[in-house]
Amino acid sequence: MSKNDEILVKVSHMTKKFGDLLVLNDISFDVRKGEFMCVVGPTGCGKTTFLNCLTKLGVYQLTSGEILINGEPVDLAKHNVSYIFQEYSAFPWQTVEENVAYGLKIKKWPKDKIEKQVSEMLDMVGLTEYRKYYPSQLSASMLQRVSIARAFATQPDLLLMDEPYGQLDNSLRYKLEDELIKLWQHTGTTVIFITHNIEEAVYLSERILVLTNKPTGIKKEIVNDLPRPRDVTDVAFNKLRDEVTDLIKWW
Amino acid sequence: MKKKRFDPEKTIYAVVAIACFFVLWWFLTTFTPVKNTTPDPIAVLKLLFESFYTPIGSKVITGHLLVSLRRVLVGFGVATVLGIILGIAMGTSKWASAIFKPIFELLRPIPPIAWISLVILFFGIGETSKYILCGIGAFTNVTLNAYTGAQNVDPELVGCARMLGTSERDIFFRVVLPSCTPQIFAGMQVALSTSWMAVLAAEMVGAQEGCGWMIQRGSDTLNITLVMVGMIVIGLVGMLLATLMRAIERRLCSWNIMEG
Ligand SMILES: Nc1ncnc2c1ncn2[C@@H]1O[C@H](COP(=O)(O)OP(=O)(O)O)[C@@H](O)[C@H]1O
Ligand SMILES: [Mg+2]
């Protein structure tokens, strides 16, 4: 969208080892503010590890190199980052609406605004009639929609998505992809979107980062300036999709 | 999500079973040699009703009951709070676990009754000793369950909460504690009945009031009717406490129960 040259995320010489296992091998790239970037790579190449290192969740610290947001080391209290995990991660002791409202309560939104935002988000992911349900009563795809609504609700500056639609059926996926694009265009959020699905990457992204097998490096960076709204039957679309598919044939 | 409704069939069975029990008791204490040692149910029920207005020792029966309940609730309450703190500390911190786990494992198998002499030696026969004895049984159960619960907190959920801006201090109250709540409640169930048993033991040695004292008094004066009144009250109250705990659990942990 925005032809902004300002860099939001700067990854330099990112290296991560688990013991002797070299997973991320000296990777460098930038993400511009407002950009929609997709990352594709084989299973186990370290895509999830990258996001965990970016957010410094748990034991994940880079072995060497650094990741900066706005030129500073990542600080979740300061940088408004949302992360949609590969596995659904709704809080089981909260209802659907409480889950979606969680981040807003933490960020001390006023009550009426929380209510409005939650309703909007639930409407977007189609869970309005399930708002009083607990996660144990929902199906897998509904659970993932809860996580998505919860992450979008806080209107993050940086949205990290780890194969979020992998377990959803196609029609819902298309709908949520379009919703995501709309949200991204509307809010100017920067998105890093990890996926297995090449068509999905071509449909969504402005830039595609293709990763190699372990030890993982960048195979190629592809600029995707197909006009929006995109059409999966379009010739140019298919050309780009085939180009990416060729790159990853060796997986 | 179906709620358990009142089940008439089960209620009939329950009433019939209890009636049979009383008939059998009455039969044995009227027509067999058991009558020489054991009072019949009518005598016991009569004394039970009398004891509501005729004091046994210093108090009527409700007085004794309240004394025992107070001891249990204080001991159980304090022990529950301490148990949750220690259990969660052991479950979340390697250091706390390394330090406290061995001691805890060693003390855990010792039942409250085994502590009586030592506690009386240190704290005398006053109320403090009673509280402590009630607390010991509750403490181990709650600690153990809180520990298991805290160990099993989903790291993904913690990550998620952090991601949504939860401070490290709030993680405890917003994620760790709610995650462990079902486990802790299961521990509290057992803890409460252990406390209730412990208070009786504590009151049978060196007390002037309470349900345990009543039984001891009956035993000392060869008043078996009084002993049995004490037993019935203990049974009823114990059952009531367990039911109450289950009701509270159902309210607080409905999200977990619905899974079934
Ligand atoms: N905590 C960890 N400890 C040890 N190895 C890990 C850990 N997390 C991930 N790995 C390893 O790192 C590699 C990359 O994992 P991951 O980032 O989950 O891959 P992807 O998300 O691309 O499928 C895998 O080989 C995995 O076994
Ligand atoms: Mg992954």
Side-chain angles (χ1 to χ4, degrees):
Chain A
M1 264 243 120
S2 57
K3 286 286 155 263
N4 202 331
D5 284 336
E6 207 179 321
I7 286 168
L8 183 68
V9 184
K10 186 165 188 59
V11 177
S12 35
H13 305 290
M14 171 171 75
T15 301
K16 174 71 185 173
K17 286 184 192 166
F18 290 107
D20 285 339
L21 179 72
L22 177 59
V23 177
L24 301 172
N25 185 17
D26 193 25
I27 298 177
S28 301
F29 63 91
D30 296 334
V31 186
R32 291 193 318 273
K33 200 173 210 147
E35 187 176 28
F36 197 125
M37 188 167 90
C38 279
V39 180
V40 292
T43 302
C45 78
K47 302 181 296 291
T48 301
T49 303
F50 157 56
L51 292 189
N52 284 336
C53 288
L54 197 163
T55 50
K56 294 186 186 158
L57 282 185
V59 296
Y60 293 88
Q61 300 282 341
L62 285 183
T63 310
S64 64
E66 61 178 358
I67 304 174
L68 301 175
I69 296 187
N70 278 331
E72 298 166 308
V74 184
D75 176 1
L76 293 179
K78 185 153 79 187
H79 300 124
N80 194 359
V81 180
S82 259
Y83 186 170
I84 298 176
F85 293 82
Q86 197 165 2
E87 267 104 63
Y88 18 90
S89 49
F91 298 123
W93 53 88
Q94 293 188 334
T95 59
V96 168
E97 62 180 355
E98 286 167 346
N99 262 288
V100 177
Y102 182 92
L104 305 177
K105 279 193 192 131
I106 293 285
K107 295 192 163 69
K108 302 213 162 57
W109 281 37
K111 227 176 165 164
D112 51 328
K113 271 185 77 186
I114 292 183
E115 226 157 82
K116 187 162 165 283
Q117 179 76 346
V118 168
S119 296
E120 236 167 69
M121 291 299 129
L122 289 176
D123 194 38
M124 177 191 90
V125 296
L127 286 177
T128 304
E129 54 180 309
Y130 298 98
R131 57 191 305 159
K132 301 283 183 207
Y133 281 52
Y134 283 98
S136 60
Q137 302 169 282
L138 303 180
S139 71
S141 88
M142 287 157 111
L143 285 175
Q144 189 60 318
R145 281 142 73 192
V146 175
S147 314
I148 290 165
R150 186 177 58 187
F152 280 359
T154 55
Q155 302 175 335
D157 301 324
L158 176 61
L159 187 57
L160 309 172
M161 306 179 76
D162 190 0
E163 306 191 32
Y165 303 156
Q167 322 196 27
L168 305 182
D169 56 61
N170 275 346
S171 65
L172 186 61
R173 207 186 74 218
Y174 294 148
K175 182 174 162 232
L176 289 175
E177 280 170 9
D178 284 335
E179 286 295 347
L180 176 58
I181 291 294
K182 228 190 285 169
L183 249 127
W184 167 68
Q185 289 175 330
H186 179 70
T187 58
T189 301
T190 310
V191 183
I192 301 180
F193 189 103
I194 288 173
T195 177
H196 245 100
N197 187 325
I198 292 159
E199 184 176 283
E200 186 171 51
V202 175
Y203 188 73
L204 294 172
S205 70
E206 289 189 302
R207 195 149 56 103
I208 303 173
L209 205 61
V210 184
L211 301 179
T212 67
N213 255 314
K214 266 192 312 244
T216 305
I218 297 175
K219 172 96 175 176
K220 195 165 183 205
E221 246 187 84
I222 299 166
V223 175
N224 175 4
D225 48 12
L226 294 173
R228 296 179 195 269
R230 290 175 181 165
D231 178 2
V232 291
T233 58
D234 183 62
V235 179
F237 186 98
N238 280 287
K239 194 165 153 273
L240 186 57
R241 190 183 61 193
D242 294 343
E243 186 187 330
V244 179
T245 310
D246 277 341
L247 278 173
I248 60 164
K249 274 221 173 107
W250 35 263
W251 281 3
Chain B
M1 241 219 319
K2 50 181 184 265
K3 286 203 174 100
K4 279 210 190 89
R5 288 251 145 251
F6 174 76
D7 184 345
E9 200 176 338
K10 271 194 184 155
T11 315
I12 290 170
Y13 286 140
V15 169
V16 170
I18 291 172
C20 284
F21 172 77
F22 273 96
V23 169
L24 186 70
W25 177 7
W26 175 80
F27 181 85
L28 289 174
T29 49
T30 312
F31 298 111
T32 71
V34 176
K35 71 176 166 198
N36 300 325
T37 53
T38 316
D40 65 77
I42 296 160
V44 172
L45 289 179
K46 192 157 156 266
L47 181 60
L48 176 61
F49 288 118
E50 273 171 17
S51 61
F52 277 99
Y53 46 88
T54 317
I56 305 163
S58 60
K59 286 185 163 64
V60 295
I61 199 158
T62 40
H64 288 297
L65 195 57
L66 288 178
V67 167
S68 294
L69 275 176
R70 191 190 63 220
R71 289 168 177 160
V72 167
L73 292 183
V74 171
F76 168 80
V78 172
T80 297
V81 173
L82 294 179
I84 291 175
I85 294 172
L86 180 64
I88 291 184
M90 290 198 311
T92 49
S93 140
K94 268 195 210 128
W95 286 107
S97 153
I99 295 168
F100 294 112
K101 189 94 188 307
I103 306 175
F104 181 73
E105 287 295 338
L106 187 69
L107 298 182
R108 184 162 76 94
I110 305 173
I113 296 174
W115 286 97
I116 291 182
S117 313
L118 210 60
V119 170
I120 289 180
L121 185 69
F122 280 114
F123 300 97
I125 53 168
E127 287 304 289
T128 318
S129 292
K130 313 279 187 295
Y131 296 150
I132 291 175
L133 286 169
C134 289
I136 289 173
F139 181 69
T140 46
N141 286 306
V142 174
T143 308
L144 206 66
N145 276 47
Y147 171 62
T148 325
Q151 271 186 316
N152 295 334
V153 173
D154 187 349
E156 196 122 309
L157 294 183
V158 175
C160 225
R162 226 172 249 153
M163 185 59 40
L164 291 160
T166 318
S167 66
E168 287 310 305
R169 203 199 55 203
D170 281 2
I171 294 267
F172 177 81
F173 289 104
R174 290 183 179 275
V175 182
V176 177
L177 206 54
S179 285
C180 314
T181 311
Q183 283 269 0
I184 290 175
F185 258 97
M188 284 167 70
Q189 288 267 15
V190 184
L192 189 56
S193 47
T194 317
S195 272
W196 186 235
M197 289 185 228
V199 76
L200 300 168
E203 285 171 352
M204 288 170 78
V205 229
Q208 272 74 49
E209 47 192 10
C211 294
W213 172 85
M214 257 168 55
I215 292 183
Q216 192 58 40
R217 170 66 171 261
S219 170
D220 287 345
T221 58
L222 296 179
N223 184 351
I224 305 301
T225 316
L226 181 57
V227 171
M228 294 182 94
V229 166
M231 286 170 68
I232 288 181
V233 170
I234 288 161
L236 284 175
V237 172
M239 192 174 83
L240 215 70
L241 288 178
T243 313
L244 199 71
M245 275 300 288
R246 263 199 299 277
I248 297 175
E249 179 181 16
R250 219 172 340 228
R251 271 207 76 98
L252 285 180
C253 304
S254 54
W255 55 271
N256 194 49
I257 289 163
M258 273 187 246
E259 222 157 346

